[in-house]
Structure formats: C-alpha cells, structure tokens
Amino acid sequence: MREAEDSIRLRLAVYLNTACAFLAYTSADPDFQPALPLLVLTAGSAFSHWRRRGNNFWLKWLLAAGMIYALYAALQGLVAYALNPRLVLGQLLVWLQVLNSFDLPRRRNLRVALMVTSVLVIVAATLSRESSFGVLLLASAVTLLWAFHEAYASELGAPPLAWPRLSGSLVGALALTVLLALPLYALAPRRERTLNAPSLPVSVSLPLPRALDPSVRNPDLASNDPGNGSHRGYDGFSDSLDLNVVPAPSDVVVLRVKSDRPAYWRAMAFDRYDGLTWRMSDPKRVTPLADTVPPIHLALPDGQAGGSQLVQTFYIERDQANLIFSAWTPTTLYYPSALVWRDAYDSLRSPTLLEKDTYYSVVSEIPSFDASALAARPARKLPSRLKPYLQLPPLSERVRALTHQLADGKTPYSAMRTLRDYLRAHYVYRLNVAAAPPGHEWVDHFLFEQHAGFCEQFATTLAVMGRVEGVPTRLVTGYLPGDYNPLTGFWEVHGRDAHAWVEAWMPMQGWVPFDATPAGPDPADFMLPRTLGGYFWSRFAQLLASPVIA
C-alpha cells in the first residue's frame, strides 16, 4: 500500500488553483474555450482522490498515450503559431494538467501540479491585454498560498487552520504582497522594444481573398455613402469625409497598442476638399507590397526625413476597416498577410478587414527636427507631385483676408504654427453643432458663424488656411494615443479617440503633423523620445492652459 494524500482541503486548493489558471489563460487566448477542460479537470480531480490508493497501472498507460498525443498536437500547432509559440505552450500546459489530474495520489504529485499551474499563469501573464487578468492573478495567488499551507500542514501532521483564521491569514499575506509589489511594479522601467528579436508579434497568416479589392472598406458603414446616418463607426475611415456628419464617440476599446512612446495612430489621408466633403483624388491608385513572410520593408516617402525608431504592436479589439494603423512614418511591417497596398497618400491597406483578435507590429521612423531651425526655412519651389495638396474650392474673401493677416510673410512652419495656435485659442471644441446651411463653405461658416466644431472641422480649417498661404496640406484620420494602462503596459484606444488632424509639407523635412483641436495633444510632443512620466506631465500642463471643451 503506497502512501497517499488524504487531505481533501489540499486537493480542493490544488483544483481551484488550476481552475483559476485555466480562466486566466482564457483571458489571454481568445481561441481557448475553458468549459471542456474544466469539466474534465473536475472529473479527474474526483477520480484521483477516489483511486489514490489504487495501482492504476492501466491508467498510467492511457495518460501517457494522451500526453504523447498532446505533445504531437502542440508540435503541429507550432507550424500555425510559429511567430507566437506561447499560445502553443499555454494550450499544451492546460491539457497536460487536465490529464495529470487523474493521477495525483501523493502530496509531491500535487506540488508538481501547482508548479505547472504557476508556469501556465506566467504564460498567460505574458499574453494578457486585459486589466481583468489582475483579478484572476490575485485569485491564483490566494489559492496557491492556501494550497502550500495545506501541503505543509499535512506534511507536519498539524491540524488545519479553522476557516476564519485561515482566510484572515491569506488576506493578510495577500494584502502585504500587493502593498509591496504595486509600487515596485509602477516604478519598474519598461524594457525598450527593439528589433533585436528574430521577429515581432504578428498573428496567424490570413488567407488572401479570391477577389482582391484595394479600396477602403469599413464594416461600420452601412453603405458607401457615409453621410446617410445609418452607421455606427467613424466616417473618417472611408473614401470620403462629410463635415456635416457629427461623430458618435464610443467608450468601447477598439485597439490596444504596445509602444514605448505615445503617438498618433495614423490610418489614411485625403487631398481634395470641395467645401463640404474631403475625398481622395485617386483612391484606387495603390502600390502592391508583397513578401512571402514578414516583414515587409517600406521606403520613406519621397522627400521625407527620417528620425528615431519606434516599435509598435497593434491588437485589434473590435472589427476595423482594412486600414493598417501605424505611427508616422512606417518603415517595417510585420503583418499577417503576404500582400498589402500602399496608396498615393502614404497610407497602408490590407486585403482583408482587420478583424477582432488580429495583431501585427510596425517599426516607424518618428520624424524629429529642431523647431527653431525648421521655422527659419523659407518656402521653396514645390515638386509637381505636391500641387494637388494646394487645391482649394471657392473661398470667401474674409477667409483669405484673415489667413493673410495671421500668417503673411512667415515661413511655412511658422505660418502653420501661428494658424494652429490661433484656432486653438479662439474656437471651442463641441460636438453638438448644426450643419452648415446649403451652399455655404464650411471653413467660412466655422470661422465667422459657428465659432465651434469638432476635430474634422478644426483640421479642415487649418488645412485650408495653410493652402491659402501656399503650404501643401492634407487631412489625416486615425486615432489619438489613447489611455495608458500601467497594469498591462498597453495604450488603450477607444472609439472616442478617433481623430482628424493635418499633415503639412515642410521644406527639407517632408510631412509634419499639426493638430488644431483645442485641449488635444500636440503631435510635435511625440517627435522626440521622452519618458511616459514626461508625456503625462506635459499633457497635464497643456490641459490646464487649454479652454474648456463644451
């Protein structure tokens, strides 16, 4: 008769610890379904206690065969998940624990099960993007402390603690751990993400559709007419942008971005403005970029100066248009497709929609410059390719007069800064604004009648005033950096962060972003490396100095 573990409390603690680990892994791997593993784990735990003194020779052969099959399935999974083997490891650990739960006769077997479960929790921690993972992590810690207490009590032959005393001890130990660990976690420096690794995170390769369509496609828009009011998403992710359509902010998290620095997450750009709507002059002129395996290397746009590298990984939390987000300017793309397109406005498009749980990585060269040196550069003769970015609809004389009054005689960079600062200081951000009357041009209506508007109207006004001064401009849409979550290390981007800003062409520099929307961050803040703490202090100071948003 072999020595068996009779403590039901120890077995219950091990079972609950394993169940918490399974649920924690579920929050990290959206494809993992915990119902069947939990059901089999329950049966295995009960069977193991019932047969704890049996020989179970036949069972060991069956379990060995099951573990060999689990290993075989994991090796097959490595082919599909070669760029993220942690998913394969996590699923292998789950099924090994499920099988092992049928044969845990001794105390040492239960301790080994606890160690394997702890490894599973660590794997889940490296994959999780949700703050809710912290709750499951605490639950795992509580059950682990309880299991070790029961194991030592059983080993020493000591009577188990009464439930009130045990729960008080566990709560006290956990509170002390959290109290000591949280400040250390908050102060710990985040490792800078570099290209030293063989690859950057990218999800499983997506099959190319039979019919390749390079046009902009947005699942949130009910039709190709974004002004029909029957949609749920952001109109800026379409082939046109109607300034009469009021955005509908949403608190839903649409993206999570792993990045060492904040940035504007750029999606697409427009060059042609007719007084009411922005469009692309040539929306279907795209250049295919193909490679058999990631990464896809991207050349800087003509005349664009480079800068410092920034690595970003985008996790899609809600279905998006077929627009590939990145910080300006992307140079290397790890995307789950052998083909992407680059349009005439330096934006990237996917052959498939960006579906929930897709993830990809981008390396960008963040343009850096000396503002004072750039402000001293006079205008130069423009290449012919930039002429479309000077197109203007019929404008009122008072729009032109105000623009010249503010910016006449200044260099391109100084003119754009002056115009941007004027709009931020004298106009109010507001969503509940009326549409422009029929026949009215929007910039005139905004400047002299409405005196308020949302980001698309601020960006349009700045872009048009820049063009009046001979500065090539384009309207850009994407997302603001979002909210930084110190618990997960991700920038959480919500639907309300959908945004429009301006890119202006500067001599010897290329496209430089400007944001005229009050109380918003300044893209120039992201042109040079800085710590997260420095970024938050600058945002706090800017908010104090900005007018109240109505």
Side-chain angles (χ1 to χ4, degrees), residues 29 31 74 76-88 91 202-204 359:
D29 182 359
D31 295 328
Q76 282 190 319
L78 281 175
V79 177
Y81 294 91
L83 295 174
N84 197 354
R86 292 173 296 171
L87 293 172
V88 180
Q91 294 182 15
V202 59
S203 54
V204 180
Y359 56 94

Side-chain angles (χ1 to χ4, degrees), residues 364-387:
S364 298
E365 285 201 24
I366 305 298
S368 56
F369 54 83
D370 184 335
S372 59
L374 191 57
R377 294 176 187 169
R380 295 179 174 228
K381 184 179 179 180
L382 296 174
S384 58
R385 59 186 170 81
L386 295 177
K387 295 298 175 63

Side-chain angles (χ1 to χ4, degrees), residues 306-489:
S308 57
Q309 281 191 339
L310 176 64
V311 181
Q312 317 124 66
T313 301
F314 291 83
Y315 294 85
I316 309 302
E317 304 293 351
R318 186 178 182 276
D319 291 354
Q320 298 280 334
N322 64 323
L323 299 169
I324 300 175
F325 302 94
S326 71
W328 179 253
T329 57
T331 56
T332 309
L333 175 64
Y334 293 79
Y335 192 75
S337 173
L339 170 69
V340 298
W341 292 290
R342 191 176 198 168
D343 67 20
Y345 314 98
D346 306 310
S347 306
L348 299 173
R349 304 181 194 175
S350 169
T352 61
L353 298 176
L354 272 67
E355 296 182 349
K356 185 180 184 298
D357 297 325
T358 302
Y359 56 94
Y360 63 93
S361 299
V362 187
V363 182
S364 298
E365 285 201 24
I366 305 298
S368 56
F369 54 83
D370 184 335
S372 59
L374 191 57
R377 294 176 187 169
R380 295 179 174 228
K381 184 179 179 180
L382 296 174
S384 58
R385 59 186 170 81
L386 295 177
K387 295 298 175 63
Y389 297 104
L390 292 173
Q391 169 270 335
L392 285 169
L395 297 175
S396 67
E397 284 303 318
R398 58 182 180 175
V399 170
R400 294 181 181 273
L402 177 61
T403 302
H404 293 321
Q405 175 187 339
L406 294 170
D408 197 22
K410 296 181 181 291
T411 62
Y413 183 76
S414 296
M416 291 300 297
R417 290 285 298 241
T418 299
L419 295 170
R420 183 206 65 183
D421 293 345
Y422 176 81
L423 294 175
R424 283 187 170 222
H426 292 83
Y427 296 85
V428 178
Y429 178 91
R430 193 164 61 226
L431 289 175
N432 57 336
V433 293
H440 281 62
E441 189 273 323
W442 243 110
V443 173
D444 180 272
H445 179 68
F446 175 85
L447 287 174
F448 303 105
E449 306 295 335
Q450 190 130 269
H451 303 286
F454 37 85
C455 62
E456 292 80 6
Q457 295 164 358
F458 276 93
T460 297
T461 303
L462 179 60
V464 167
M465 296 177 84
R467 290 183 179 188
V468 169
E469 283 298 302
V471 180
T473 61
R474 58 191 183 190
L475 185 135
V476 180
T477 58
Y479 286 109
L480 292 170
D483 302 322
Y484 184 72
N485 186 332
L487 296 179
T488 63

